[in-house]
Amino acid sequence: SESRLHLADALRAGWRVLSADGSALDAVQAAVVVLEDSPHFNAGHGAALNEASEHELDASIMDGASLAAGAVCAVRRIRNPVIAARAVLDRAQAVLLAGTAADDFAERQGLAMVQPDYFTTQRRVEALRVVQARMASGIAQQSSEAEKHGTVGAVARDIHGHLAAATSTGGFNNKPSGRVGDGPIIGAGTYAKDGACAVSCTGQGEIFIRRVAAYGL
Ligand code: ASP
């Protein structure tokens, strides 16, 4: 399937960085960008829609060598949220920037900006319709496996032994407006520390936040 081809592209993008003596940090960013650009994953183009039929995207990245980290949450206009997370790591006086201020930061940093409907795919519109119809008719039924997955992440170890991790997500279909998941929370959805491990989580974010999953694993 095309989603598998895009996964292979993501691996190649990361590998290209690593095999040219690049950093683990650059490698995980390169891999996640490919998956954000693919319509088949719940990140960037193809991300889940919230209850208001809007996209609010979360992403983070962490350098296991320095424990530096950057993240954005509830952003709406940044084409590649993981690149914005990296810009926060490199250039913001913050670890996590939220909402319109994060969008504005990315724009000032010269990142590619898009209209919110760039992220929308027919599959996500249909998924939201199905979930909302189900709730309206009181059928509390589980989402299909296909609809529950799709958050993207990458971990890498470079030639110097340094680790990095990155995560990017649209959250889940019909999530509450303003809901922020584990993806942009360092220690919950993403963590990397040299000599220990690099982690990017996918699954019900609220549980990962409460259990500090990426750190506590
Ligand atoms: N962990 C993501 C979130 O809660 C969703 C997912 O991985 O499916 O935002």
Side-chain angles (χ1 to χ4, degrees):
S1 64
E2 197 179 56
S3 56
R4 285 183 180 275
L5 293 177
H6 292 172
L7 280 170
D9 289 343
L11 279 172
R12 267 192 294 275
W15 182 248
R16 245 191 320 274
V17 172
L18 294 175
S19 60
D21 200 12
S23 68
L25 195 62
D26 286 340
V28 294
Q29 177 180 328
V32 168
V33 163
V34 171
L35 299 174
E36 286 180 338
D37 289 346
S38 167
H40 300 293
F41 302 94
N42 176 14
H45 179 52
L49 288 159
N50 70 10
E51 63 182 2
S53 293
E54 293 169 343
H55 299 282
E56 295 188 320
L57 310 177
D58 297 337
S60 66
I61 190 165
M62 184 165 187
D63 179 3
S66 62
L67 305 187
V72 293
C73 65
V75 298
R76 294 157 177 261
R77 296 192 299 118
I78 305 167
R79 179 185 165 112
N80 290 105
V82 75
I83 300 179
R86 176 63 183 275
V88 171
L89 185 159
D90 287 337
R91 295 188 288 279
Q93 306 293 321
V95 167
L96 172 58
L97 291 180
T100 52
D103 284 324
D104 294 346
F105 168 81
E107 192 160 29
R108 285 198 307 275
Q109 292 291 317
L111 302 196
M113 306 300 290
V114 292
Q115 293 300 310
D117 67 357
Y118 159 78
F119 300 112
T120 309
T121 57
Q122 199 48 48
R123 172 183 161 194
R124 291 295 173 188
V125 171
E126 180 63 14
L128 183 66
R129 197 189 61 72
V130 168
V131 175
Q132 292 186 336
R134 228 190 261 134
M135 292 190 59
S137 63
I139 309 166
Q141 204 186 307
Q142 290 282 320
S143 301
S144 72
E145 285 302 308
E147 283 310 326
K148 278 193 291 186
H149 301 296
T151 286
V152 308
V155 297
R157 179 181 185 277
D158 64 32
I159 197 170
H160 306 290
H162 297 313
L163 303 180
T167 306
S168 183
T169 186
F172 56 86
N173 297 321
N174 202 40
K175 68 180 181 178
S177 294
R179 179 266 188 187
V180 174
D182 59 312
I185 311 289
I186 298 303
T190 303
Y191 200 76
K193 184 179 181 183
D194 282 9
C197 64
V199 176
S200 172
C201 293
T202 181
Q204 182 62 53
E206 283 65 23
I207 295 170
F208 294 147
I209 294 170
R210 285 169 16 218
R211 304 301 292 247
V212 201
Y215 186 73
L217 274 174

